[in-house]
Amino acid sequence: MDPSEKEGLVVEESAHVSNQTKAETCKKNNILSVFIEPIQWIQMLSSQLNPSFIIGIVLVYGLNLGFSGSFFKVVTDYYWKDVQKVQPSVVQLYIGLYYIPWIMKPIWGLLTDVFPIRGYRRRPYFVVAGVLGGASALMVAVIGNLPAAVALACLIGVAAGMAIADVTIDACIARNSIEVRSLAPDMQSLCGFCSSAGALIGYSTSGFFVHYLGPQGALILLAMPPVFITVLGFVIYEMRSSGLNYEKQKTMENLGVAIRGMYQTIKFPQVWKPSLYMYLSLALSISTHEGQFYWYTDPKAGPAFSQEFVGIIYAIGAMASMVGVLIYHKTLKDLPFRNLLFLAQLLYGTSGMLDLIFILRWNLAVGIPDYFFVITEECVSRIISRIRWIPMMVLSTRLCPIGIEGTFFALLMCIDSLGSLTSKWGGGMVLHMFHVTRTDFRNLWLVILIRNILRIATLGLIFLVPKADQSDALIPPDILTKNSTVAPDDEGLELVPENEKVEV
């Protein structure tokens, strides 16, 4: 072999080695990017928004709503079933009452917008939420043999603490979504991710604590997250209003302006039509959760899942919710509202048939074990639910006029909560009509079939959703200034640096 051929072989071999090295480097970079990209994303949001606002989202959505909400769900299900020994249809009526504080969100929003405490619009309400939630949880956990009515009142108090903290941070999110439109999907993605991560921890630990502490003893852990919410009220950055005497004189006037602003805004077709869709899409999907939960844990009729495994099912579902957030953030946040919600609702209706297959035990007929099938079903439903939920939240922020953004966003969330209440009570009545009890589940499959048909029928209402992109303004700009009740030098939480604010 002459020297030129040898040289050619060496060059080819070097090129091959170089390509392999590049491929290995790219693979390592791709693996590292999975961990680095979320950190860079958080850093980007912190640079564009005030870092204390990001901390607030993590605490309220991750700890208060994610962990507490999931832990609360599992533990109270067992509390009503094993301690109070209540029928599933009655439990659904009780759970519907948990939504009362969420339906009252416009009231909490009005308080945060027009009733500052010592010059602060947001901070005191975090403190109130933490104290109320913590005290209510301690009462039901520590005091034994509570009457059902007293226990229900305490659990509603826990829900009220969550709702007040949620509406306070939502007011900040709504304002930022107006001022920095391009970051609205990112903010909702962060909320969804924190909520799912907190739910993962809550669900994965709930079954363990229920097993070893009992349903009532496990409720004491719900008193811990409110402590952090109380601390948040002292550490979150907020500019104090000047001229407190002037503020007191203007309070009732501001209240009237806020109410008129809500009334004027809700009359616009761009606002009431999507609001109506959000309500009906939730209300028509009647809830069958308690009937399914009682069946899951029944040793005769159902698969008799243990307390720990029920928590694992929900925990894996929470992980699937995070996957849903990532799918939305990576591929769906640029789709128009109508197209995305149509797709999400279609998948939501069809995926509900998995519940029907499980209740009828067709999975066993084809050789699929219960534990594998229920985990698969939970993952699919959670991913679709999250993809369906996030654009609704983005749409809600797009409908808020600046100045009363906290109040109006709370009004929209009240409509959502009313839809969830209707869903719970509607499902409870259907369970009662078809005689689904603690021990009789013969007609449970029929209730689930009715629920799935109603979900698919909701597609006929998709015309109420605007065709606009998720970054578009949906209400006339003059409403934002006409209804504004916040003076430029007194904007409550100063969450966006002045050089980053966008003129609306």
Side-chain angles (χ1 to χ4, degrees):
M1 186 179 292
D2 60 33
S4 62
E5 290 179 346
K6 289 183 179 180
E7 184 179 350
L9 288 175
V10 171
V11 171
E12 288 180 6
E13 186 177 351
S14 300
H16 180 68
V17 172
S18 177
N19 289 335
Q20 280 187 330
T21 305
K22 289 181 180 179
E24 291 176 359
T25 303
C26 290
K27 186 176 180 180
K28 290 180 180 178
N29 289 338
N30 289 335
I31 295 174
L32 290 174
S33 67
V34 174
F35 301 97
I36 295 175
E37 190 173 330
I39 298 174
Q40 293 174 337
W41 180 50
I42 296 292
Q43 288 176 340
M44 181 274 293
L45 289 176
S46 298
S47 65
Q48 298 291 319
L49 309 167
N50 193 288
S52 64
F53 169 59
I54 304 301
I55 294 173
I57 288 180
V58 173
L59 287 178
V60 175
Y61 273 87
L63 192 61
N64 182 62
L65 298 179
F67 174 81
S68 293
S70 59
F71 197 89
F72 181 81
K73 175 183 176 181
V74 175
V75 174
T76 55
D77 277 344
Y78 278 106
Y79 178 77
W80 292 118
K81 178 178 178 288
D82 297 336
V83 178
Q84 297 287 348
K85 301 188 183 302
V86 181
Q87 295 290 351
S89 57
V90 177
V91 174
Q92 291 224 171
L93 296 178
Y94 286 172
I95 291 177
L97 295 176
Y98 296 167
Y99 289 99
I100 289 179
W102 298 91
I103 293 173
M104 294 174 63
K105 286 183 75 171
I107 297 177
W108 315 136
L110 279 171
L111 291 175
T112 62
D113 278 341
V114 302
F115 286 94
I117 299 176
R118 292 186 172 273
Y120 295 107
R121 297 180 183 276
R122 314 299 186 202
R123 296 174 69 176
Y125 294 99
F126 284 121
V127 177
V128 170
V131 172
L132 176 61
S136 299
L138 284 174
M139 283 186 64
V140 72
V142 174
I143 302 176
N145 300 321
L146 281 176
V150 177
L152 179 61
C154 291
L155 295 177
I156 291 173
V158 175
M162 296 181 192
I164 295 172
D166 178 62
V167 77
T168 307
I169 199 68
D170 280 347
C172 307
I173 294 171
R175 187 174 190 89
N176 278 337
S177 297
I178 294 169
E179 294 178 331
V180 190
R181 294 178 188 170
S182 61
L183 292 181
D186 291 275
M187 283 184 268
Q188 292 300 333
S189 296
L190 178 61
C191 294
F193 185 83
C194 291
S195 176
S196 297
L200 171 61
I201 299 172
Y203 284 135
S204 59
T205 58
S206 57
F208 173 83
F209 284 109
V210 168
H211 180 77
Y212 288 99
L213 299 179
Q216 186 169 353
L219 285 170
I220 198 168
L221 294 178
L222 285 176
M224 297 181 182
V227 174
F228 290 92
I229 301 302
T230 304
V231 173
L232 177 64
F234 290 100
V235 302
I236 193 169
Y237 173 70
E238 180 180 9
M239 292 182 64
R240 188 176 185 182
S241 303
S242 58
L244 294 181
N245 292 330
Y246 176 76
E247 283 290 333
K248 292 178 181 179
Q249 295 172 3
K250 297 288 289 182
T251 293
M252 294 310 297
E253 180 182 343
N254 289 346
L255 178 62
V257 171
I259 294 174
R260 287 194 300 272
M262 285 196 298
Y263 175 71
Q264 292 294 331
T265 305
I266 201 68
K267 289 195 303 181
F268 276 82
Q270 307 96 299
V271 177
W272 70 259
K273 284 184 178 181
S275 301
L276 179 61
Y277 174 81
M278 287 187 283
Y279 168 76
L280 292 175
S281 66
L282 292 169
L284 292 178
S285 178
I286 59 173
S287 173
T288 59
H289 171 74
E290 297 307 319
Q292 291 176 257
F293 173 75
Y294 276 56
W295 180 79
Y296 284 162
T297 55
D298 189 88
K300 296 180 180 179
F305 291 145
S306 66
Q307 296 163 339
E308 291 89 346
F309 187 69
V310 168
I312 290 172
I313 293 171
Y314 292 145
I316 294 174
M319 294 176 65
S321 293
M322 289 190 280
V323 174
V325 173
L326 293 175
I327 291 173
Y328 167 81
H329 183 71
K330 291 291 186 181
T331 62
L332 302 176
K333 67 178 182 179
D334 295 324
L335 290 181
F337 282 115
R338 184 178 295 184
N339 295 350
L340 178 53
L341 289 174
F342 179 87
L343 175 63
Q345 188 65 33
L346 178 61
L347 293 174
Y348 189 57
T350 53
S351 66
M353 295 300 176
L354 293 174
D355 287 329
L356 188 62
I357 293 172
F358 189 43
I359 294 295
L360 294 174
R361 311 311 295 274
W362 290 350
N363 61 296
L364 296 179
V366 296
I368 303 176
D370 285 335
Y371 69 89
F372 180 81
F373 189 87
V374 73
I375 288 174
T376 302
E377 183 273 329
E378 183 74 8
C379 290
V380 171
S381 64
R382 288 299 190 92
I383 290 173
I384 295 172
S385 295
R386 188 60 70 178
I387 292 174
R388 178 172 169 262
W389 174 78
I390 296 179
M392 285 189 179
M393 295 300 100
V394 177
L395 178 59
S396 297
T397 62
R398 289 282 174 263
L399 303 177
C400 297
I402 198 168
I404 56 168
E405 64 280 348
T407 303
F408 200 79
F409 190 83
L411 175 63
L412 296 177
M413 293 301 98
C414 162
I415 294 172
D416 285 0
S417 298
L418 189 60
S420 298
L421 170 62
T422 307
S423 170
K424 282 291 183 184
W425 283 1
M429 288 187 287
V430 174
L431 288 170
H432 180 73
M433 288 171 55
F434 286 89
H435 307 290
V436 177
T437 65
R438 292 172 56 89
T439 56
D440 187 356
F441 304 99
R442 288 173 296 176
N443 293 327
L444 180 58
W445 70 272
L446 188 56
V447 176
I448 293 175
L449 179 61
I450 293 171
R451 181 203 68 183
N452 295 341
I453 292 172
L454 289 173
R455 285 181 179 181
I456 295 174
T458 306
L459 291 171
L461 303 172
I462 200 67
F463 68 92
L464 295 170
V465 178
K467 296 180 180 179
D469 291 334
Q470 297 183 53
S471 59
D472 292 344
L474 300 181
I475 56 178
D478 60 330
I479 292 185
L480 302 179
T481 54
K482 184 191 306 182
N483 291 342
S484 180
T485 62
V486 183
D489 60 344
D490 183 16
E491 294 182 347
L493 279 175
E494 195 65 38
L495 301 176
V496 185
E498 292 294 332
N499 58 353
E500 295 293 339
K501 292 187 179 180
V502 178
E503 287 294 326
V504 180

